[in-house]
Amino acid sequence: MSDHHDDFSFHNLTPERIADALADVGVDPQSGLLALNSYENRVYQFIADDNRRYVAKFYRPARWTDAQILEEHQFTQELLDEEVPAVAPLKLAGATLHHYEGYRFAVFPSVGGRAVEPGDLDQLERIGRQIGRLHAVAKQRQFATRPNVSYHEYVTEALATLSTSSLLPNNLHDAFFAIAEPLANHLKQVDLSAFTQQRLHGDCHLGNMLLRDEQLMFVDFDDARTGPAIQDLWMMLAGDDRAERTLQLDVLLEGYQEFCDFDNKETQLIEPLRSFRIIHYMAWLARRWGDSAFQRAFPWFAEQRYWEQQVLTLKEQFAALQEPPIQLQPQY
């Protein structure tokens, strides 16, 4: 992913340009454009002349290729075709991906809904069923162009970014890398290719699910990629108590396995994948820091105490990697 040189790429995306882009595909907003919470892309809700609400998503330039975006669109449409609740882009003028003056965008129906509460066991079983249904569809094909969950992207490239970032305070640089490097060396031993690879939502956390008419719906497939199934499951586990997390995983998989088999060996990937995410997230913020939307949304990222906390977090992760993985009860 070439995403290092596009910090100011949204500066020319004015309301006039957005309206012209929408008019270009026959969409006429009757209301103002309401900016929704999205940092990676720019996302706007509006009411069109049919009195319905829609969402226009303008993709961050240079992040994905057209082929990669179209694979995301195809995946969400396959889910909808199989009646798995997901949000797929509308086909306008014969296409789902549109180009206007250097920007690429898609238009989606606007779906409202309530946030999902963490830690509720009944809810977890339901979530497990929905992810199981999602994965049953996901396994029917493979992505051809979207990336894999990989050590290179999530750790090697991320640490290279952080090593040259002025946001990591000088006085913490040595302490940070004194734990980041052994952690990275440990993670390098994890062979992801030893596990079945499949299409994934890729960023499957509670914030990317909505409860709508008592249905659980998946949103935001922007990070869809290939990897092991557990990548879409581990973020559902909440809290620090190991026994509690084991129970949560049991309940989650009880729902999941109604629709999809699960390889219990994948539980050994939970802490490595958590480590991947922690390291990758810091690098993502560092790369995007030139975008003022990030500075407004994450002001704490430039503060000394954030980095002090990250050194502790990496130490905790290193300790967690030494623990035996969660053991599941055998299924009968």
Side-chain angles (χ1 to χ4, degrees):
M1 276 177 7
S2 54
D3 58 1
H4 301 274
H5 53 41
D6 57 351
D7 285 344
F8 301 104
S9 52
F10 287 120
H11 276 196
N12 299 321
L13 191 61
T14 59
E16 295 73 30
R17 188 161 273 129
I18 294 165
D20 290 347
L22 291 169
D24 199 47
V25 291
V27 176
D28 181 12
Q30 299 294 300
S31 66
L33 298 164
L34 174 67
L36 299 181
N37 227 358
S38 175
Y39 311 111
E40 194 60 352
N41 305 298
R42 292 294 184 267
V43 182
Y44 304 93
Q45 186 186 66
F46 60 90
I47 297 171
D49 51 1
D50 60 2
N51 272 330
R52 293 188 181 160
R53 281 181 200 279
Y54 295 93
V55 167
K57 170 176 168 178
F58 286 79
Y59 287 87
R60 180 173 289 271
R63 180 164 183 248
W64 299 120
T65 64
D66 284 9
Q68 287 171 326
I69 294 172
L70 289 169
E71 279 200 318
E72 173 208 335
H73 291 182
Q74 183 192 332
F75 185 27
T76 52
Q77 189 58 52
E78 283 173 51
L79 291 168
L80 269 189
D81 292 346
E82 298 280 347
E83 299 183 354
V84 179
V87 183
L90 300 168
K91 203 169 220 185
L92 302 168
T96 56
L97 180 63
H98 313 288
H99 297 74
Y100 189 80
E101 293 190 0
Y103 288 102
R104 293 172 300 170
F105 69 100
V107 179
F108 299 79
S110 173
V111 297
R114 302 198 314 280
V116 180
E117 295 299 317
D120 173 335
L121 290 178
D122 290 343
Q123 197 80 282
L124 267 180
E125 191 173 349
R126 271 181 82 183
I127 290 170
R129 280 200 293 273
Q130 287 297 63
I131 298 175
R133 293 181 65 205
L134 186 152
H135 282 188
V137 176
K139 286 177 173 179
Q140 291 170 18
R141 295 187 187 186
Q142 291 288 343
F143 286 137
T145 62
R146 291 191 78 89
N148 285 46
V149 175
S150 73
Y151 176 85
H152 181 72
E153 182 193 342
Y154 282 75
V155 183
T156 309
E157 287 186 355
L159 288 179
T161 294
L162 293 170
S163 70
T164 59
S165 174
S166 58
L167 291 152
L168 172 55
N170 278 337
N171 64 330
L172 287 174
H173 198 278
D174 290 353
F176 182 87
F177 281 95
I179 182 62
E181 280 166 4
L183 179 63
N185 288 335
H186 191 98
L187 293 171
K188 201 170 191 175
Q189 313 310 313
V190 178
D191 181 9
L192 289 176
S193 70
F195 300 87
T196 303
Q197 304 291 306
Q198 61 162 78
R199 293 187 297 178
L200 300 167
H201 179 286
D203 193 25
C204 195
H205 56 78
L206 293 180
N208 280 334
M209 290 179 193
L210 287 175
L211 266 174
R212 185 183 187 193
D213 304 328
E214 293 318 300
Q215 256 195 337
L216 264 173
M217 175 174 277
F218 295 99
V219 298
D220 194 3
F221 284 75
D222 202 58
D223 266 308
R225 59 189 61 227
T226 298
I230 192 73
Q231 171 67 9
D232 276 352
L233 292 160
W234 72 262
M235 278 182 262
M236 299 300 129
L237 310 180
D240 296 323
D241 182 288
R242 186 183 171 92
E244 201 170 316
R245 283 214 309 266
T246 305
L247 174 62
Q248 290 171 3
L249 185 59
D250 259 335
V251 171
L252 188 67
L253 288 173
E254 203 170 308
Y256 182 87
Q257 289 175 309
E258 288 179 32
F259 295 95
C260 223
D261 290 336
F262 179 75
D263 175 2
N264 283 358
K265 292 197 293 294
E266 289 194 21
T267 60
Q268 66 192 264
L269 297 177
I270 292 174
E271 292 310 325
L273 289 170
R274 191 193 310 279
S275 304
F276 275 26
R277 188 173 176 85
I278 289 167
I279 296 168
H280 184 257
Y281 185 74
M282 288 185 277
W284 174 64
L285 291 177
R287 283 177 199 140
R288 297 288 187 258
W289 198 244
D291 180 338
S292 57
F294 278 74
Q295 296 178 28
R296 284 195 301 274
F298 310 102
W300 38 259
F301 186 67
E303 293 174 7
Q304 170 94 10
R305 65 182 173 187
Y306 167 77
W307 293 98
E308 288 169 356
Q309 181 57 52
Q310 290 310 96
V311 172
L312 289 174
T313 298
L314 294 182
K315 285 178 177 170
E316 286 166 5
Q317 266 315 107
F318 192 67
L321 288 168
Q322 318 305 318
E323 300 262 319
I326 286 179
Q327 292 297 314
L328 294 166
Q329 299 301 316
Q331 302 284 327
Y332 297 106

